[in-house]
Amino acid sequence: MTGRPTVVVTRRLPSPVEDRLRTLFDARLNTTDAPLDEAALAGAMRDADALVPTVTDRITATLLGTPGRRVRIVSTFGVGFNNIDVAAAREHGVVVTNTPDVLTDDTADLAITLLLMVARRTGEGERLVRAGDWTGWRPTQMLGTRVTGKTLGLIGFGRIGRAVAARASGGFRMRVVWHDPFAGDDAASLGGERRISIEAVLQESDFVSLHCPATPETRHLMNADRLAAMRPGAFLINTARGDVVDETALVRALREGTIAGAGLDVFEREPAVSRELLAMDNVVLLPHLGSATEETRVAMGNRAVDNLAAFFGGSAPRDRVA
Ligand code: DGY
């Protein structure tokens, strides 16, 4: 290749990352931050050597098969890559990379934030104060659920699940049980108590937090039956992906009191959120903030840039997933 590789970036990235992209590449940055439509993405596939998408872009088989495609690497800004058809990328010889590790702590922090918020009714309390409706302290006002010493069930015990476990057991003396079919035999050394079935985790847990990737196998993993298998009075936390929970079944479970509440950072049809959830006080709703700190978003961008630099420098990108 002669000259600097052309890199199309689909959304605004933190300035230090955009500066680095400008220095290293012929960077086509998105100054308006408006999502690229299908035609613009197809144009990028034809005109650029690399694409840096985010979770809001669907990189489909059609896009990867764009006639005259020039893009050779899709370096996504994010650890999750369920928005990219990796099988099609492999078929078309397009390399795909992601940005693991750097967002583990912040995402774990947010899972704990949701757990505390929903257990202690803090969203509801804040709404009360802001509405000017607080009439003063009283012994029976807005009683929540204690977190310390309770049982936390984790579905998925990878990097983020383990970071949540460390916070919960170290900070809140919680007992941690988990299920992860991909954890190796040495997983016992990671702490917590392994369970062979998801149902066993659900039956034992006061709080269930989801940390599995979105795949065809995990779609609607938390369906009506699994929600019914949770303890009455238990809470569901989701910082993974919206697809993992059947949102319609969740609404019903919350409405019927099958479970006590939910803390959600991700939704099945983002940015749309079920109207019923918006109206429920026992639900905490956040706008996909898991990795949203200055430090982590810069680190994610740098990791995406590192992957591009390695690829165009002729070495293997560290975070290749296809
Ligand atoms: C991730 O990195 O997967 C976050 O959810 C943002 O996309």
Side-chain angles (χ1 to χ4, degrees):
M1 178 190 308
T2 55
R4 297 188 306 165
T6 299
V7 176
V8 168
V9 182
T10 67
R11 302 303 290 262
R12 282 231 71 153
L13 297 182
S15 326
V17 179
E18 293 195 338
D19 290 347
R20 209 173 145 219
L21 281 162
R22 267 194 219 95
T23 306
L24 293 175
F25 306 111
D26 168 19
R28 311 282 164 88
L29 303 175
N30 182 344
T31 51
T32 66
D33 206 20
L36 270 54
D37 63 18
E38 187 79 18
L41 284 170
M45 294 305 268
R46 279 191 300 269
D47 300 339
D49 301 295
L51 185 70
V52 179
T54 74
V55 65
T56 58
D57 302 300
R58 287 190 59 239
I59 310 301
T60 59
T62 310
L63 212 51
L64 288 156
T66 301
R69 172 185 51 79
R70 185 171 134 197
V71 159
R72 290 192 293 137
I73 174 168
V74 173
S75 172
T76 193
F77 179 91
V79 67
F81 49 88
N82 58 305
N83 54 316
I84 301 171
D85 189 330
V86 286
R90 272 189 209 108
E91 198 179 303
H92 290 286
V94 176
V95 168
V96 179
T97 59
N98 69 341
T99 64
D101 306 320
V102 292
L103 44 64
T104 299
D105 284 321
D106 286 349
T107 308
D109 289 350
L110 201 87
I112 295 289
T113 302
L114 283 170
L115 188 155
L116 289 169
M117 283 184 77
V118 72
R120 299 302 303 274
R121 302 174 63 176
T122 57
E124 203 182 334
E126 217 226 8
R127 285 192 290 280
L128 181 88
V129 174
R130 281 184 188 274
D133 291 338
W134 186 36
T135 53
W137 189 90
R138 55 199 167 82
T140 56
Q141 185 183 33
M142 217 169 263
L143 305 186
T145 301
R146 173 181 290 175
V147 168
T148 299
K150 295 286 178 64
T151 298
L152 171 64
L154 302 171
I155 308 295
F157 204 56
R159 288 175 294 256
I160 298 171
R162 284 178 240 154
V164 171
R167 283 155 175 75
S169 56
F172 302 101
R173 303 193 298 279
M174 294 179 91
R175 177 172 157 251
V176 175
V177 297
W178 56 269
H179 168 82
D180 190 332
F182 301 103
D185 292 340
D186 59 345
S189 65
L190 301 174
E193 298 167 37
R194 187 176 200 165
R195 295 291 177 262
I196 298 305
S197 72
I198 294 175
E199 281 69 21
V201 170
L202 302 178
Q203 278 151 22
E204 287 182 62
S205 303
D206 302 299
F207 297 88
V208 173
S209 190
L210 305 176
H211 299 287
C212 53
T215 63
E217 293 73 35
T218 62
R219 186 177 146 69
H220 287 187
L221 176 136
M222 290 306 293
N223 55 21
D225 289 344
R226 293 243 169 80
L227 289 162
M230 286 174 67
R231 287 184 170 182
F235 297 87
L236 180 70
I237 309 300
N238 190 7
T239 53
R241 281 289 185 266
D243 303 26
V244 178
V245 177
D246 178 345
E247 208 165 288
T248 307
L250 176 64
V251 166
R252 199 173 315 119
L254 288 162
R255 201 191 310 119
E256 293 173 1
T258 311
I259 66 171
L264 307 173
D265 187 44
V266 288
F267 303 89
E268 219 182 321
R269 289 167 284 273
E270 286 180 24
V273 177
S274 307
R275 222 159 358 106
E276 293 92 333
L277 289 177
L278 294 172
M280 288 176 180
D281 256 336
N282 55 340
V283 177
V284 176
L285 306 167
L286 296 180
H288 203 143
L289 292 180
S291 60
T293 67
E294 198 69 42
E295 294 88 338
T296 285
R297 290 286 163 85
V298 170
M300 288 165 70
N302 280 329
R303 193 88 171 216
V305 176
D306 291 346
N307 285 320
L308 291 175
F311 179 81
F312 289 114
S315 40
R318 178 177 176 186
D319 306 310
R320 185 168 180 171
V321 294

